[in-house]
Amino acid sequence: MKKSSVVLIIIFSVVFLVCSGCTSSHILTSNEKGNNSSEEISEIESGHESSQFSQENLTSSEKSSPYLYWEYELGNIAPDNLSEGRSTVQDCVAYSRNGKQVAVGTGKKLTVIDVSGKKLLWEKTLRGNISDISFSKDGKYLLAGEKSTDGYVYSLDAGTGNEIHSYRSADDLGTSTNSKYQPCIYKITAADDAVYIAAGRYWKESEYGLASRVYRFSPDGTLSWKLPATENYAHSVNWIDSSQDGKNVVFSTGDWTNSLGLDAVVYSVDDSGNLRWKYEIPPLKPYFVSAAIWHGLDISDDGSVVTAYTGDGRKYLFYDSEMMRPGDGKTAWDMKTPGDGKTSWDTYDWQSNVTVPEEVEGSHIYAYGEAAKISSKNEILYLTGATLPAYYPDNIPMAHPLENSLVSCDTEKGNISWTYNLGGRCAGIFFSPDMRFFVLPVGKDSSSGNTQVHGVYVFDNQKSGNGNSRLIWRFNTEGVILDAAISSDCTVAAVEAPLKLENGNVIGKHRLIIVR
């Protein structure tokens, strides 16, 4: 064969590979093995395949191809275990609002990265294990919370890491030498000119004990107020959220131990800590004696709509204006008084459409309510977790049909519009500051052990249709993704952790990845 012929064959082969869409092995679209395989769905979620919401009935749109922009090694840690449920590694990541900086908390080490320069800005070792981090809206401060004997929340200079202020939550919540029972900063939420924080701890002696507080700080860490002012809530407060202007703040109290016989209560307070309204959610009997909300609480940026998703699988919608009673005209800031209005969704209608317990082969199972997010005025997204037995230690004969799924509901009645199965457990729904994109960090699938689902899934919230048509790309990793954040230019920062398989092999590594 002539040399010129060989050259032509090579050229045509390269052109064919490029045109056929050959991509990195890290990248899988939603039609490829590892996410939408009908065999995998039938094995993991028997009965879900024939549902009207099955992804096999959805049409896939063209997906772009992401690439690994940069990675940063985070040091050696013990690998996560595939056979265990929740991840034992609690790393967290946050973007500054302008997308120029990324902060990572792993163990006691706090790291801040310059994204465009691909370089380390600074590192700092805190007193305890970092539990949550958030930049202030103006980007000047980085707020970091920890779980430790002290339970500090820190306000740091975002550019240098210098400590501006710190607050010791153990002075309010008490403490313990047992690391399980130490105070923890559960959630930090930044508003325009304020930072709201939920903190708490639990302990067990003859029975469980709970203690929680809610705080308002200025971005530099100066305490404005705390609720209650002089004592703790004898409940858990695991989540807090705020309107963008910080004038409508929502949090919930409850009992995740399911032992103390407590209602879950959703509170709305103003920026001075005054009660605006509340709503009590009773336990879902006969399955549970208490009620609680994990991360399933969200308020729209303008403060007009609130949604709640209980751990037992019930969801609620509240229009803020309808939750306030007509006032006596003496209140300057609002002509209404604190109320305890009603949910906008009828109880009987929504209860059959979510992940509450249902009987399967003599056992009662449900999918845990993980998170909630108001994506638009017409849609709310709910994130489900693992399948659990309603009565411990009952059997789990099969996975719940909506296990580890993203569920879209309309705001009018709360009906399910579509579902998207993720295959593995997801840490939350994280939107870009402009609400254009959202990312789902997908971790281990403890039901089937399928490691092909690990990675970050990015959706365009402005696209119409179902989850499959909104998915714009997916980047797979060997290890599990613990947390993720996304900027307004659709750049994702995520933390990967190594995973120990049942055969003893370890896959993946501990690193920060920046994907575009």
Side-chain angles (χ1 to χ4, degrees):
M1 184 179 290
K2 295 182 179 180
K3 183 177 181 180
S4 59
S5 300
V6 173
V7 172
L8 285 173
I9 291 172
I10 293 173
I11 292 173
F12 284 128
S13 299
V14 171
V15 170
F16 173 78
L17 287 172
V18 171
C19 294
S20 63
C22 181
T23 59
S24 165
S25 61
H26 285 290
I27 304 162
L28 293 175
T29 66
S30 61
N31 284 334
E32 294 178 86
K33 185 177 180 181
N35 189 42
N36 282 347
S37 166
S38 60
E39 292 182 0
E40 289 173 358
I41 292 174
S42 63
E43 289 175 3
I44 301 173
E45 299 184 353
S46 176
H48 185 52
E49 184 179 3
S50 61
S51 167
Q52 61 176 316
F53 305 116
S54 170
Q55 292 180 75
E56 293 302 308
N57 298 326
L58 306 181
T59 302
S60 174
S61 60
E62 183 180 353
K63 309 298 189 299
S64 59
S65 298
Y67 65 97
L68 182 61
Y69 175 72
W70 192 49
E71 66 174 330
Y72 182 80
E73 299 287 341
L74 294 174
N76 294 328
I77 59 171
D80 210 344
N81 197 317
L82 181 62
S83 62
E84 297 177 356
R86 284 191 177 275
S87 177
T88 56
V89 185
Q90 301 297 322
D91 290 1
C92 48
V93 62
Y95 254 117
S96 60
R97 191 169 179 83
N98 61 13
K100 294 182 178 180
Q101 297 175 331
V102 167
V104 183
T106 175
K108 296 181 179 180
K109 187 171 71 173
L110 183 60
T111 303
V112 175
I113 301 294
D114 174 0
V115 178
S116 61
K118 296 183 180 180
K119 63 181 181 180
L120 172 70
L121 285 181
W122 54 265
E123 284 185 339
K124 190 179 188 72
T125 300
L126 303 185
R127 298 176 180 90
N129 290 324
I130 300 168
S131 54
D132 196 28
I133 51 178
S134 176
F135 284 92
S136 61
K137 285 292 179 71
D138 60 12
K140 293 181 180 180
Y141 304 97
L142 177 63
L143 286 301
E146 67 181 22
K147 182 176 184 180
S148 67
T149 55
D150 299 304
Y152 275 107
V153 56
Y154 304 87
S155 179
L156 309 171
D157 184 301
T160 64
N162 293 334
E163 183 177 316
I164 309 300
H165 283 106
S166 63
Y167 185 88
R168 186 176 185 266
S169 67
D171 292 336
D172 300 322
L173 304 170
T175 191
S176 173
T177 56
N178 187 330
S179 60
K180 290 172 56 178
Y181 304 149
Q182 291 172 352
C184 179
I185 306 301
Y186 289 126
K187 178 60 181 175
I188 304 173
T189 297
D192 284 344
D193 60 354
V195 176
Y196 295 99
I197 290 176
R201 79 179 188 100
Y202 78 96
W203 61 93
K204 188 174 184 180
E205 295 172 352
S206 58
E207 61 180 18
Y208 279 104
L210 300 169
S212 297
R213 284 283 179 99
V214 169
Y215 302 90
R216 183 188 192 271
F217 293 91
S218 61
D220 69 358
T222 303
L223 178 67
S224 301
W225 49 256
K226 54 187 174 183
L227 292 176
T230 59
E231 59 185 9
N232 298 316
Y233 291 112
H235 304 70
S236 60
V237 179
N238 296 101
W239 201 253
I240 191 168
D241 197 21
S242 167
S243 59
Q244 190 163 322
D245 62 11
K247 294 182 179 180
N248 191 357
V249 184
V250 292
F251 61 94
S252 64
T253 62
D255 171 25
W256 60 266
T257 71
N258 191 36
S259 63
L260 303 178
L262 302 175
D263 293 351
V265 183
V266 178
Y267 291 92
S268 168
V269 300
D270 64 19
D271 54 359
S272 296
N274 298 314
L275 178 67
R276 301 180 69 251
W277 56 263
K278 66 178 181 178
Y279 183 84
E280 296 187 12
I281 301 175
L284 182 60
K285 295 182 177 180
Y287 308 106
F288 308 101
V289 301
S290 293
I293 295 170
W294 181 239
H295 296 166
L297 184 66
D298 189 57
I299 186 171
S300 59
D301 282 348
D302 64 3
S304 63
V305 184
V306 176
T307 189
Y309 185 31
T310 59
D312 53 50
R314 293 173 288 171
K315 63 184 189 293
Y316 298 81
L317 180 73
F318 311 101
Y319 288 102
D320 185 74
S321 61
E322 298 176 4
M323 299 299 289
M324 305 282 287
R325 296 195 189 106
D328 55 13
K330 297 180 180 179
T331 307
W333 63 272
D334 198 314
M335 302 300 287
K336 296 182 178 181
T337 58
D340 53 356
K342 296 181 179 180
T343 175
S344 296
W345 290 337
D346 181 79
T347 300
Y348 181 80
D349 287 342
W350 57 250
Q351 197 166 24
S352 62
N353 289 329
V354 286
T355 55
V356 294
E358 54 186 87
E359 185 175 359
V360 178
E361 298 181 11
S363 297
H364 291 81
I365 61 171
Y366 69 106
Y368 194 79
E370 288 281 358
K373 188 68 181 178
I374 300 167
S375 62
S376 71
K377 65 178 181 180
N378 299 317
E379 179 189 56
I380 301 180
L381 300 174
Y382 297 99
L383 183 66
T384 73
T387 302
L388 298 172
Y391 300 112
Y392 284 96
D394 206 352
N395 295 321
I396 302 178
M398 59 170 282
H400 190 280
L402 291 181
E403 178 187 69
N404 296 328
S405 296
L406 184 66
V407 180
S408 167
C409 295
D410 67 78
T411 55
E412 182 179 359
K413 294 183 178 180
N415 294 329
I416 292 178
S417 302
W418 51 263
T419 69
Y420 186 90
N421 178 255
L422 297 164
R425 197 154 195 169
C426 183
I429 309 168
F430 303 102
F431 271 79
S432 59
D434 60 1
M435 295 294 290
R436 169 68 188 275
F437 305 104
F438 65 92
V439 59
L440 302 179
V442 179
K444 57 189 174 184
D445 171 16
S446 54
S447 296
S448 70
N450 178 17
T451 61
Q452 300 299 310
V453 300
H454 303 165
V456 289
Y457 298 59
V458 174
F459 299 79
D460 187 338
N461 196 42
Q462 291 185 3
K463 283 180 174 283
S464 60
N466 49 55
N468 203 50
S469 63
R470 295 188 198 182
L471 178 70
I472 55 176
W473 54 262
R474 167 184 167 187
F475 185 88
N476 281 92
T477 55
E478 285 191 329
V480 293
I481 297 296
L482 303 175
D483 197 13
I486 187 167
S487 65
S488 294
D489 68 355
C490 201
T491 300
V492 171
V495 180
E496 177 188 354
L499 180 67
K500 185 176 183 180
L501 305 179
E502 292 182 353
N503 62 9
N505 293 338
V506 176
I507 59 174
K509 54 185 176 179
H510 192 210
R511 59 176 180 163
L512 168 72
I513 58 173
I514 307 293
V515 184
R516 289 181 166 175

